[in-house]
Amino acid sequence: MLEKILRVNALYDFYQPLLTSKQQEYLNLYYLNDFSLGEIAERCQVTRQAVYDNLKRAEGALEAFEKKLGLLRKYQARLSLISELRKQAGRLSVEEHQKLNSVLDKLENLD
Amino acid sequence: MLEKILRVNALYDFYQPLLTSKQQEYLNLYYLNDFSLGEIAERCQVTRQAVYDNLKRAEGALEAFEKKLGLLRKYQARLSLISELRKQAGRLSVEEHQKLNSVLDKLENLD
């Protein structure tokens, strides 16, 4: 379950703007704020089943976006290459190392 | 007009999978294969106006995706940082330079 939560959270970071506001609300409450299905149902005045169905649809939408655009996959590949560059930079003089690292920081923070 | 063509092409590279198959077809014919509106209309057996409206909608959809996800903007920022890293690498020994450049090539080719 933890793995699922981490994946949904990671996908949500990339694709949140493409979801409907209701999908965003339910995912926020369930995955980021740890509400139960029943609590979300009460708060949104819908049935527990409706919350469940909407959450499933939202998770499906996130996976569908990832299949189409691969933003999480590319991000992880980028992080791994940036970490390789940091290792290489670690073998250079302090001055060169710092210069490279400052650009690598910017690169890592772009996503 | 050239600027417009280049921008639509660049956005299309990033967001093509999110468009409908009809939007993809019209954009492909008009921007990538230089068909006229009339030629597309004839080929797809619809009116010239329908082609025009669909192209406008598709262009609007591309800009809306870019506003939400900013993939082209981030890609351009990444290219500029990678170019900065290449400049820094150029001042190192040939061996270090080559090692860094080979990882930078991988990073650049991820998108």
Side-chain angles (χ1 to χ4, degrees):
Chain A
M1 182 59 184
L2 178 62
E3 204 177 321
K4 166 88 178 286
I5 294 174
L6 291 175
R7 179 158 177 91
V8 173
N9 267 290
L11 290 174
Y12 188 68
D13 273 350
F14 286 100
Y15 302 111
Q16 175 183 358
L18 298 182
L19 298 175
T20 65
S21 56
K22 190 191 279 183
Q23 287 174 327
Q24 291 185 34
E25 185 181 8
Y26 288 2
L27 285 176
N28 248 315
L29 291 172
Y30 191 70
Y31 284 103
L32 280 75
N33 294 301
D34 203 30
F35 276 49
S36 70
L37 295 179
E39 286 168 338
I40 301 175
E42 203 182 321
R43 183 188 169 113
C44 300
Q45 302 205 292
V46 293
T47 64
R48 198 180 167 287
Q49 185 64 39
V51 175
Y52 177 83
D53 291 344
N54 266 301
L55 273 175
K56 285 295 130 196
R57 265 199 296 276
E59 289 165 23
L62 289 176
E63 291 291 353
F65 287 133
E66 176 63 6
K67 201 169 172 185
K68 286 180 176 172
L69 298 183
L71 299 184
L72 176 58
R73 178 179 50 74
K74 287 180 191 170
Y75 170 71
Q76 287 166 337
R78 232 176 356 254
L79 275 196
S80 144
L81 291 170
I82 289 173
S83 146
E84 208 172 321
L85 288 167
R86 286 196 199 278
K87 262 190 227 156
Q88 290 189 18
R91 287 197 298 270
L92 303 173
S93 73
V94 173
E95 196 198 352
E96 294 293 355
H97 182 180
Q98 282 176 343
K99 269 196 231 159
L100 281 169
N101 257 345
S102 113
V103 185
L104 289 172
D105 288 345
K106 286 185 202 160
L107 201 56
E108 196 167 323
N109 290 327
L110 262 185
D111 280 297
Chain B
M1 183 60 185
L2 178 62
E3 203 176 323
K4 166 88 178 285
I5 294 175
L6 291 174
R7 179 158 178 92
V8 172
N9 266 289
L11 291 174
Y12 187 68
D13 274 349
F14 286 100
Y15 301 111
Q16 173 182 1
L18 298 182
L19 297 176
T20 66
S21 56
K22 189 191 279 182
Q23 287 174 327
Q24 291 184 35
E25 186 182 6
Y26 288 1
L27 285 177
N28 247 312
L29 292 172
Y30 191 71
Y31 284 104
L32 280 74
N33 294 299
D34 203 29
F35 277 49
S36 70
L37 295 179
E39 286 167 337
I40 302 176
E42 202 182 321
R43 182 187 170 116
C44 301
Q45 303 205 291
V46 293
T47 62
R48 197 178 169 289
Q49 184 65 38
V51 175
Y52 178 81
D53 291 344
N54 266 300
L55 274 175
K56 284 295 131 198
R57 264 198 296 275
E59 290 165 21
L62 289 176
E63 291 291 354
F65 287 133
E66 174 64 6
K67 200 169 172 185
K68 285 180 176 173
L69 298 182
L71 298 183
L72 175 59
R73 177 180 50 75
K74 287 180 191 171
Y75 170 70
Q76 287 166 337
R78 231 175 356 255
L79 276 195
S80 144
L81 290 171
I82 289 174
S83 146
E84 206 172 323
L85 288 167
R86 285 197 199 279
K87 261 190 227 157
Q88 290 187 16
R91 286 196 299 267
L92 303 173
S93 73
V94 173
E95 196 198 352
E96 294 294 355
H97 181 179
Q98 282 176 344
K99 269 196 233 161
L100 281 169
N101 256 346
S102 115
V103 186
L104 290 172
D105 288 344
K106 286 185 204 159
L107 201 56
E108 196 167 323
N109 290 328
L110 263 184
D111 281 296

